[in-house]
Amino acid sequence: MRVPFLGRLSIHEYLAITLSFSVLALASILKFVILFLPKPVINWFYKWSRRLFIQYRSEEYPSEEKRVSDQVLKAKDFEDLCRIYGYIHEEHVVLTKDGYLLGLHRLPGKRGEKRDKPGTSTGKPVVYLHHGLLMNSEVWICLTNPERSLAFVLAEHGYDVWLGNNRGNKYSKKSIHHGPNTTKFWDYSIDDFAWHDIPDSINHILQVTKAPQLNYIGFSQGTAQAFAALSIHPQLNEKVNVFIALAPAMSPPGLAAPIVDTLMKASPTFLFLIFGRKSILSSATFWQSILYPPIFASVIDKSLSWLFNWRSHNISPYQKIAAYAHLFSFASVKSVVHWFQIMRNAAFQMYDDDVLSPVVVTSVSSYRPVRFPTRNIVTPIVLLWGDSDSLVDINTMLAQLPSHTIAKCLHTYEHLDILWGRNVHIDVIPEVLNYLKLYNTEEQAVGDVNSRDEMQNGYLAN
């Protein structure tokens, strides 16, 4: 049924809009109120939710996993997470050409290995890891055991490991031109990641390490940023030895929630009306502060199921509790709008500044947003994707990539499983190590997949 006077949306879509505004209004009010609440009151809400959870849901988990999960959950930042497993990290800052300060993390050595001259070349082959949307570098190391952390495993296999961060997130919330409370600070999309963040981070890493090339591993949007950057910077292809894309993102088919999917594809810029023009979902940290972690994890699970139809059965309950605490980081509303533009047009395009659809008077459109020329990428590409991942349309993706692209399917894997699944040390990490060895020279090739067992035994011994 249509509402004639009010436009093209149906009644249930107007109801969805009304409900969305109501929820956001409630969240904003609660967020404002909590600023004036004393800490004992906030702690009371936390304890009340904990008591409620224990009363209605009592579950048993392995004591060792619970112990480590609690440590990961309570870790405040990248440094705390490294300390849990005995790694010594470095922090670097990159100034992009348009004035953003990006935080880079580095794992230059194996567990417990100290360096006399931090910030210098190690002589090792270099691997650069980049996170997905609404994330930061912590997602690579917030695991309940180190053998399932790709970053730690790479360090143990003799790689110089770097982990990037997008502008606006927890480690990159600063610019020399604009403060984070201004709309100009958040006026960026995937285009800006491709033009500046990725190439400037890579250049900094190569400058510090003195390496001629590095190996790039991205997750989700971290792959999209590399696809875009490599396609518009021909010279960048000479600096990337191989690009391994985990849960690759380029032209997602859409969301599992029909109402949200239809509404956002119909008008992606409607997000600006709902969330404004700064950061998106900034209230997530508020909810995390007052909810008992298992309840917060359950809320995230339900949200992921509704939006993407992900069941997350491959991720253990305590891994969820540990990792979901480090899942969210700030991102611009504009970057999310950009994704819905891509979904609507089923094309990996640059941000469309023309928010009004052009009038089509013939069968031939007079306007088309500029697309990223991804078929021009020269760097070897490896796609590792899950056949249960609703955001990956592998055939559409392969049609937009060069013919030298390799695609490896991971059976029963969803999106986040590739980061935090129970068996990533069996199904995912060995694949990454093998492709790194395949595309590195004999002099650069390091480690062996079988040394995973030695690594695990070493951690257990300590």
Side-chain angles (χ1 to χ4, degrees), residues 209-258:
T209 61
K210 310 300 181 185
Q213 292 180 312
L214 55 72
N215 305 281
Y216 185 103
I217 301 175
F219 171 76
S220 192
Q221 183 179 280
T223 69
Q225 294 174 208
F227 287 133
L230 290 168
S231 72
I232 60 178
H233 297 286
Q235 71 280 10
L236 193 63
N237 289 260
E238 301 174 4
K239 301 176 182 180
V240 179
N241 187 49
V242 63
F243 167 27
I244 300 176
L246 306 179
M250 182 178 284
S251 298
L255 303 180

Side-chain angles (χ1 to χ4, degrees), residues 98-100 173-182 184-186:
D98 60 343
Y100 284 83
K173 206 172 180 181
K174 190 171 179 61
S175 165
I176 62 174
H177 299 305
H178 311 292
N181 292 324
T182 64
K184 289 185 177 180
F185 178 92
W186 299 99

Side-chain angles (χ1 to χ4, degrees), residues 249-270:
M250 182 178 284
S251 298
L255 303 180
I259 293 178
V260 181
D261 185 65
T262 301
L263 190 59
M264 290 302 105
K265 285 181 180 178
S267 179
T269 52
F270 183 70

Side-chain angles (χ1 to χ4, degrees), residues 353-459:
D353 293 293
D354 188 358
V355 297
L356 298 177
S357 300
V359 177
V360 179
V361 295
T362 68
S363 60
V364 179
S365 175
S366 60
Y367 170 76
R368 190 193 79 169
V370 178
R371 298 179 182 179
F372 290 105
T374 48
R375 291 190 187 91
N376 297 340
I377 298 175
V378 178
T379 298
I381 301 172
V382 177
L383 310 179
L384 294 178
W385 59 284
D387 60 3
S388 298
D389 189 347
S390 62
L391 290 183
V392 177
D393 183 341
I394 194 64
N395 293 325
T396 300
M397 187 176 298
L398 289 173
Q400 299 180 58
L401 291 173
S403 59
H404 61 253
T405 302
I406 296 174
K408 172 73 174 182
C409 178
L410 300 169
H411 183 55
T412 75
Y413 272 72
E414 295 177 339
H415 207 68
L416 295 174
D417 298 357
I418 294 181
L419 278 181
W420 303 324
R422 287 184 178 90
N423 295 318
V424 292
H425 58 302
I426 298 172
D427 301 325
V428 180
I429 294 178
E431 294 286 348
V432 173
L433 293 173
N434 285 334
Y435 281 114
L436 286 175
K437 291 179 67 175
L438 177 63
Y439 286 99
N440 280 276
T441 64
E442 291 183 4
E443 291 77 13
Q444 289 177 316
V446 293
D448 186 87
V449 176
N450 292 330
S451 66
R452 172 177 56 82
D453 296 329
E454 298 176 9
M455 176 187 174
Q456 181 182 14
N457 293 335
Y459 282 109

Side-chain angles (χ1 to χ4, degrees), residues 147-161:
E147 67 164 344
R148 291 191 300 109
S149 165
L150 178 59
F152 290 152
V153 172
L154 289 172
E156 292 299 317
H157 279 74
Y159 288 97
D160 187 351
V161 183

